[in-house]
Every structure is written in structure tokens, then in C-alpha cells.
Amino acid sequence: MKKTIAIMTATRAEYGLLKPIIKAIISDGTFNVKIIASAAHLSLDFGMTYREIEDDGLKIDRKIETLLSSDSPSAVSKSMGLTMIGFADYLEETKPDAFMVLGDRYEALAATCAAYNARIPIIHLYGGDTTEGAADEAYRHSLSKMAYLHFTNTEKCRKRVIQLGESPERVFAVGEIGIENALNNKLLTVKQLSKELKINLINNYAVATFHPVTLEKNTSEKHIKALLKALSKQKDMQFIFTKANADSDGRLINKILEDYCSEHENFHLFNSLGMLRYLSSISHAKFVIGNSSSGLIETPSFKIPTINIGDRQKGRLMASSVICCKPTQREIEKAIAKALSVEFREIASKTVNPYGDGKTSEKIVRIIKRVFNKPIDLKKKFYDLKV
């Protein structure tokens, strides 16, 4: 009988990264796959993006509602509680042989706690990374400690997971799946993209995503307004915005964006572009701006500048095409000028993406097959490093 891997997805970005892995596991045929859609995927405020999964021809085994209509710290904690309850029931009912989770979000932590308590081996993608400005930092490391099998994006991150006490025999550096998406998908032309989005993008445009910096208090409004003021100086450019995540203050940022974009015809806001339209958008853009991880991971593959604002991604590995700046109008304006300069665009055109070779999903499937071909002993020993 085939073993079953249950795979959780809670956000549009997370699903975009999981999609090639899901399809590779299904195509290989060794395992059954059960997809659980949760949290922002099921929220009208965030675009009901579970539909993207179904549009890709993938079957969702269960939809688990967890998201409250508030993004206060208290609401986030309550959503975590709902997530744990929902996944506890699901895992007790289905009893999968493994539970796969990606990243560093609070929903992932809550669902993984349920899997850990159910004594289900956990496969964690992308531990060992660091984002010093976000609560995701602690969630990610906590996920690593509960996981049995680890896939990291770089060798440096692999060493960090081992530093957390995980055995080197269960930690593998495989590269970022975002690079695979960027390199292996046939993207839309500017003309096709313009038709899809109903925007004339033939002239200059940029792509923007700005999320809350969750370890800071009451900075979201100030920072997003500084960004909008800086961008407003670029009168001849179009701006494609995607909404913020369902983090604390995410709805606050999205309300400000909704109001601003309704009053400025060159600013366009989308709940979600989906993977193909998003990658196509950044591939033709003059630059990508904001504080999303995609600016650091996927964008360098397209040889264009990224402007990374503030501390949300602080500590992450960055390509030579990334410009970091403080979240003030003046510093953002200076970064935009640099990104548009001939000199920096020449640097960006020669950048080498440090996150892998675009063959991540096949590596992951091969390792999972080898590991789960043998009995799993969940009694992990703490791997001590010599200090």
C-alpha cells in the first residue's frame, strides 16, 4: 500500500512554492498526496486563493477554516488555536504517514504542533533561514525542532539547522523552489500580461509587495505611506501591487493600498496574481520593491533590481542585484534612483542567484523516497557541535 503525505498550504505565495513539489510527488507515483488548504486561501479578503489550486487541476482533500476577520496579535493567537484544532481533527481522521509544511508562518507552526502531537513524521522546507524583523524567525526555528526531515535552500541554512541539534543525516540543502518556478515556466509576454491584467504595461512599470514587520509596533502605516509617497514621484511609471499577508496589520496596509490605488490611475492592486502572472510581472519590470522574500529569491533570476525596504528580510542571503534601504521616503527615493541608474542595472544584469539551480523538486522527491523507504524513529537525538 502506498504511503500518504499530507501537505499543508495557507497562503498564495506558499502554494506557489509547493506546487512543483506536489506535482513531482504525484508524477513519481510512490506516494499518495493529500492537500489541505487553510487560512488565507479561504478568505474573501485575501482573494479566495484556494481556487488557484483547483485551477491547476489539483484536488484539495480538506479545507480548514482558521482565519478571523481581524489581524491583531490576539486574533493571530486565536487563529493559531483554531488551526491546531482543525488539523488535530483532520490528522486523527486521515492518519497520513508524513506531514509536509513549508516556511515560517504562524499557521504552519500551529498545524505542525498538531502533527507532532499525533506522532506523524514532519517534513519541513526551508528551515535555517533568518528574517530578523519578523516573528517568522522564531516560528521557523520552532518548526525545525519538531521536524524529522529537513530541506534547506542553502548550505549555510543547512548548517544552522544542524546547529539547532538536528542530525546532519536528515538535513539536505536543495536550493529554492522559487528558482525552479522562475526558470522552468513559460512566462507571459508584456502584451499578454497587459491583456490579462487589463493594464497597459508597454511602458515603464514596477512590482511592489509590502508586508508588516511583525516584530515592530505601530510602524506599518508610517512605512507604507512613506513607500507610496516615494513611488508617487515616478509619474511616468505604472505600479502593480499585491496585497499584504494575513499578519498583524496586514489588513491595515491593504486598506491604505485600496484607498490609494482607487485615487491614482497608475497604481493597481491585486489580491493575488497567481504564480504565472506574478513571475511574468517581475520578469518584465524595471524593478521590484517592498519587503517580500520573492524580491530576494526569485527576482535575481530575472537580472533586474530589487529594492528591499526595512528589516523584515534582514539577515537573509542577498544577491548583488538587491538594494537595501530604510523605510523612509527619502531613502526609498534614493534607492529607486539607484535601481534605475545605468550603472546599477549593469550590475543586476550580471547577478548570480545564490539560491540554487532550478532542480529542487526532483532532489526533494528522491530524498523523501530514500528516507521513507526505511522505518522512521521519531526519538531524535540532539546532535551536539563541538564548541
Side-chain angles (χ1 to χ4, degrees), residues 31 123 175 259:
F31 300 96
I123 303 168
D259 292 344

Side-chain angles (χ1 to χ4, degrees), residues 176-205:
E176 270 281 356
I177 201 71
I179 309 306
E180 185 170 334
N181 287 336
L183 297 179
N184 297 337
N185 279 282
K186 184 178 180 181
L187 303 181
L188 303 174
T189 65
V190 176
K191 188 175 180 179
Q192 290 170 328
L193 185 63
S194 296
K195 185 177 180 181
E196 286 264 332
L197 302 183
K198 298 180 174 61
I199 307 169
N200 181 7
L201 298 173
I202 304 305
N203 297 318
N204 293 342
Y205 78 90

Side-chain angles (χ1 to χ4, degrees), residues 199-245:
I199 307 169
N200 181 7
L201 298 173
I202 304 305
N203 297 318
N204 293 342
Y205 78 90
V207 176
T209 306
F210 194 83
H211 299 301
V213 183
T214 48
L215 288 182
E216 296 178 355
K217 289 186 177 180
N218 304 318
T219 61
S220 296
E221 182 174 0
K222 178 181 177 182
H223 292 172
I224 189 62
K225 287 183 175 179
L227 171 59
L228 291 171
K229 285 178 182 177
L231 295 180
S232 69
K233 300 295 182 70
Q234 304 297 320
K235 304 292 186 183
D236 61 340
M237 291 191 76
Q238 301 278 344
F239 293 97
I240 298 173
F241 267 87
T242 57
K243 283 188 174 181
N245 280 338

Side-chain angles (χ1 to χ4, degrees), residues 300-362:
S301 292
F302 297 113
K303 313 293 186 182
I304 63 169
T306 294
I307 299 171
N308 178 56
I309 300 170
D311 287 347
R312 184 178 173 94
Q313 303 297 339
K314 187 177 179 182
R316 269 200 164 137
L317 185 63
M318 298 190 189
S320 60
S321 56
V322 178
I323 302 166
C324 290
C325 70
K326 294 179 180 178
T328 65
Q329 180 182 347
R330 183 183 178 192
E331 292 302 310
I332 295 169
E333 287 176 0
K334 287 167 61 177
I336 292 171
K338 183 175 180 179
L340 293 173
S341 69
V342 174
E343 295 80 7
F344 192 80
R345 298 192 74 78
E346 178 69 16
I347 291 171
S349 72
K350 296 176 181 177
T351 196
V352 176
N353 196 320
Y355 283 103
D357 59 6
K359 298 179 180 178
T360 298
S361 59
E362 65 180 65

Side-chain angles (χ1 to χ4, degrees), residues 77 103 234 244 256 278 310 312 357 373:
S77 295
Q234 304 297 320
I256 292 170
Y278 182 74
R312 184 178 173 94
D357 59 6
N373 190 42

Side-chain angles (χ1 to χ4, degrees), residues 19-20 33 77 84 89 99 107 115 133 138 156 159 170 172 181 200 217 230 234 244 261 273 294 327-328 360 365:
K19 176 182 168 181
V33 172
S77 295
M84 196 178 297
D89 290 342
F99 182 76
E107 309 98 334
K156 185 173 184 178
K159 290 176 180 177
R170 294 182 282 101
F172 302 89
N181 287 336
N200 181 7
K217 289 186 177 180
Q234 304 297 320
C261 291
L273 291 173
S294 64
T328 65
T360 298
V365 172

Side-chain angles (χ1 to χ4, degrees), residues 154-172:
T154 63
E155 182 61 28
K156 185 173 184 178
C157 289
R158 178 179 180 267
K159 290 176 180 177
R160 287 193 185 126
V161 172
I162 295 168
Q163 189 174 338
L164 289 170
E166 297 300 296
S167 169
E169 295 178 354
R170 294 182 282 101
V171 190
F172 302 89

